[in-house]
Amino acid sequence: MMGGRREGPLMRNTSHSVVKSRILMAMAIGISFGCLFAFLYPHGIPSSSAPAFHSRRTQVLSTKCESSERLNELRKEYSAASKENAGLRQQVKELTEKLRLVEQGKDHAQKQVEALGKRHKAGAFGTIKGLRTNPTVIPDESVNPRLAKILENVVVQRELIVALANWNVKDSLEVWFKNIKRVGIPNYLVVALDDKIAEFCESNDVPVYKREADEGIDSIGRTGTNHAVSGLKFRILREFLQLGYSVLLSDVDIVYLQNPFNYLYRDSDVESMTDGHDNMTAYGYDDVFDEPTMGWARYAHTIRLWVYNSGFFYIRPTIPSIELLDRVAGRLAREPKSWDQAVFNEELFFPSHPGYEGLHAARRTMDFYLFMNSKVLFKTVRKDARLRKLKPVIVHVNYHPNKLERMKAAVEFYVNGNQDALKAFPDGSDW
Ligand SMILES: *[C@@H]1O[C@H](CO)[C@@H](O)[C@H](O)[C@H]1NC(C)=O
């Protein structure tokens, strides 16, 4: 256990209000002084002009000792009072600033205390680690009792694979669930967006959840373009998280070769496969931008990363995760021309800046050889004797339009051991 001062929300409030009332009292005193002096000296306090005033007056009044003494007294009083007033003004200024900071800090501190529970001392150099695994939400079955019931019989360890499908992707879906079954993954579910695909799943003994018409948002699902369905995806996903389950969201153009649940870290809000194709593009690198006209400072360093693939990611049921889904769904609704994967990445990665509050979600990039995109397979792996021997967990045919062909080829290569199965394909698409 780490040491540290316990400070409950109640104590924070109390100490805040004491500080606050002291500050307010000091401000009131300061303001009263200010008013008094503004009344006495509408043209300002005679500080720099005081010596001139004094020397002239002294000459005139020097004959009258009493008056002179009285004047001296007054002068001292003015001087003391004016110093005090300046001091008070400064104090009021400082206190106002402190009050502002306290008010500003209260919100953040309050939220963090609520989210994290207690504070810790930092501990020795090299021994500390930031919190990255956010607590899961309390499951709320009232969100969708029917789905909750279905999930009880599907999930393993409170997690499952979820795919959305309509009749348009029937052929890919078939390869998808055949391989899931072959690998022996029990915890998966198809969210059927039309009746035909629901029936197709049922007739193949595939766990399926068909949304009812009055379940609202998904009239798009039946006729929708890919991108319309994408928006829907984030809203449906929200219900799974609210029910307290972790979801491995999966497109259907994916071939399962091993059980992905054996390869997750579960330490982040979002753990995603990447569109990157090597260590740098997948995991991030310093991309140096060169501007020769800047001479000595011609090199500007940038941070780069190939985007996360929004067609295959593991998302834990946490507040930041649900906030992510809401942000993405909200933006897709407001910006109909936007691309869900771009929006997903922007929300995940852009930091807070003036006018924008960034998401505070923890992220993890999956191993790009284990969770392999089709560029990695066709551009690199199939040509490399050593990499060919490596067995991925999944292959996602995201980089190629002839999905079904390449999915089947991947099955031929990895499952049936046909070493030539990938040969016929070009690296990229032929257009
Ligand atoms: C990529 O990173 C892995 C793990 O850090 C390392 O073993 C491998 O050699 C790297 N590959 C290249 C091409 O640098």
Side-chain angles (χ1 to χ4, degrees):
M1 274 303 284
M2 287 174 95
R5 196 155 58 97
R6 280 166 192 271
E7 196 173 35
L10 200 64
M11 284 169 75
R12 293 192 68 84
N13 276 336
T14 315
S15 64
H16 276 145
S17 61
V18 169
V19 170
K20 207 164 142 181
S21 65
R22 280 190 194 149
I23 289 170
L24 287 173
M25 209 150 55
M27 280 178 74
I29 294 169
I31 289 164
S32 323
F33 267 99
C35 292
L36 179 64
F37 280 86
F39 175 71
L40 287 174
Y41 304 105
H43 302 295
I45 294 151
S47 53
S48 60
S49 63
F53 163 80
H54 167 222
S55 61
R56 254 189 294 126
R57 295 296 268 178
T58 322
Q59 269 177 351
V60 175
L61 298 172
S62 60
T63 49
K64 285 185 180 174
C65 219
E66 231 175 80
S67 308
S68 167
E69 262 171 33
R70 178 78 192 114
L71 186 68
N72 267 340
E73 256 170 49
L74 277 173
R75 190 158 50 75
K76 274 183 202 154
E77 274 174 38
Y78 294 157
S79 151
S82 89
K83 266 181 203 152
E84 200 179 338
N85 188 40
L88 273 171
R89 274 193 201 161
Q90 183 56 29
Q91 229 177 317
V92 167
K93 213 174 133 190
E94 281 167 13
L95 287 171
T96 312
E97 179 64 10
K98 274 185 196 160
L99 182 66
R100 194 182 65 78
L101 288 175
V102 166
E103 289 294 341
Q104 190 184 47
K106 201 173 79 178
D107 266 350
H108 294 281
Q110 205 74 37
K111 280 183 210 157
Q112 285 194 1
V113 166
E114 278 155 20
L116 306 176
K118 67 180 161 166
R119 299 164 67 208
H120 300 284
K121 287 184 182 171
F125 174 81
T127 66
I128 63 162
K129 223 171 196 180
L131 186 72
R132 76 195 65 179
T133 307
N134 285 308
T136 56
V137 296
I138 297 169
D140 180 2
E141 296 213 343
S142 69
V143 167
N144 189 334
R146 193 169 65 86
L147 178 59
K149 202 90 202 134
I150 293 171
L151 290 180
E152 273 171 20
N153 301 318
V154 172
V155 299
V156 173
Q157 311 253 4
R158 305 198 68 78
E159 54 191 16
L160 79 162
I161 298 170
V162 173
L164 272 66
N166 60 19
W167 187 249
N168 296 338
V169 296
K170 178 220 158 215
D171 292 336
S172 292
L173 184 70
E174 189 167 14
V175 179
W176 182 85
F177 66 65
K178 273 188 174 163
N179 282 281
I180 285 181
K181 288 180 177 193
R182 189 182 45 71
V183 173
I185 304 165
N187 47 334
Y188 69 105
L189 181 77
V190 173
V191 176
L193 301 176
D194 57 42
D195 293 330
K196 270 170 92 179
I197 205 75
E199 283 156 24
F200 178 66
C201 288
E202 275 157 10
S203 65
N204 281 281
D205 216 8
V206 167
V208 64
Y209 163 62
K210 166 81 179 51
R211 284 178 82 87
E212 300 299 330
D214 65 357
E215 277 170 308
I217 48 185
D218 50 338
S219 61
I220 353 166
R222 277 163 216 113
T223 53
T225 64
N226 269 347
H227 289 179
V229 172
S230 298
L232 179 69
K233 171 171 96 182
F234 295 97
R235 301 177 65 166
I236 293 178
L237 258 185
R238 186 192 216 276
E239 293 184 3
F240 287 82
L241 299 202
Q242 276 186 285
L243 294 174
Y245 298 110
S246 296
V247 173
L248 182 57
L249 187 280
S250 176
D251 280 354
V252 295
D253 53 349
I254 290 176
V255 175
Y256 285 75
L257 301 165
Q258 303 187 58
N259 189 333
F261 293 109
N262 297 337
Y263 294 87
L264 298 176
Y265 288 77
R266 301 178 178 83
D267 63 352
S268 306
D269 296 301
V270 176
E271 192 170 339
S272 178
M273 83 171 288
T274 170
D275 273 3
H277 55 269
D278 56 20
N279 281 356
M280 285 166 71
T281 57
Y283 306 142
Y285 67 105
D286 176 10
D287 188 21
V288 182
F289 175 79
D290 184 8
E291 204 172 349
T293 58
M294 285 303 292
W296 178 76
R298 65 185 287 178
Y299 301 116
H301 294 257
T302 73
I303 295 286
R304 269 191 104 183
L305 191 70
W306 263 227
V307 291
Y308 279 3
N309 190 291
S310 61
F312 189 87
F313 58 88
Y314 178 75
I315 186 162
R316 295 179 61 249
T318 66
I319 293 294
S321 295
I322 295 172
E323 185 185 354
L324 170 69
L325 298 178
D326 289 0
R327 281 173 176 243
V328 174
R331 272 190 60 192
L332 291 175
R334 290 193 304 276
E335 306 161 24
K337 281 184 186 141
S338 58
W339 180 33
D340 73 307
Q341 181 160 285
V343 171
F344 179 74
N345 278 274
E346 286 171 9
E347 294 299 331
L348 263 180
F349 288 100
F350 284 168
S352 299
H353 54 257
Y356 177 76
E357 202 185 334
L359 181 74
H360 295 263
R363 310 157 301 231
R364 168 181 281 281
T365 310
M366 289 173 171
D367 185 311
F368 68 91
Y369 286 130
L370 293 180
F371 298 89
M372 192 185 290
N373 64 55
S374 56
K375 177 152 81 181
V376 172
L377 176 58
F378 285 96
K379 229 187 82 171
T380 318
V381 169
R382 67 169 171 167
K383 301 170 188 170
D384 183 304
R386 197 174 53 86
L387 293 175
R388 279 167 72 92
K389 296 201 179 82
L390 203 143
K391 191 170 190 180
V393 178
I394 61 145
V395 170
H396 187 181
V397 186
N398 61 321
Y399 270 107
H400 300 89
N402 50 341
K403 295 178 183 302
L404 196 60
E405 269 179 86
R406 291 196 192 231
M407 283 174 84
K408 286 178 173 166
V411 174
E412 258 314 282
F413 182 77
Y414 283 113
V415 180
N416 301 330
N418 178 354
Q419 290 300 306
D420 296 329
L422 303 174
K423 264 197 182 137
F425 297 92
D427 284 4
S429 74
D430 291 325
W431 288 98

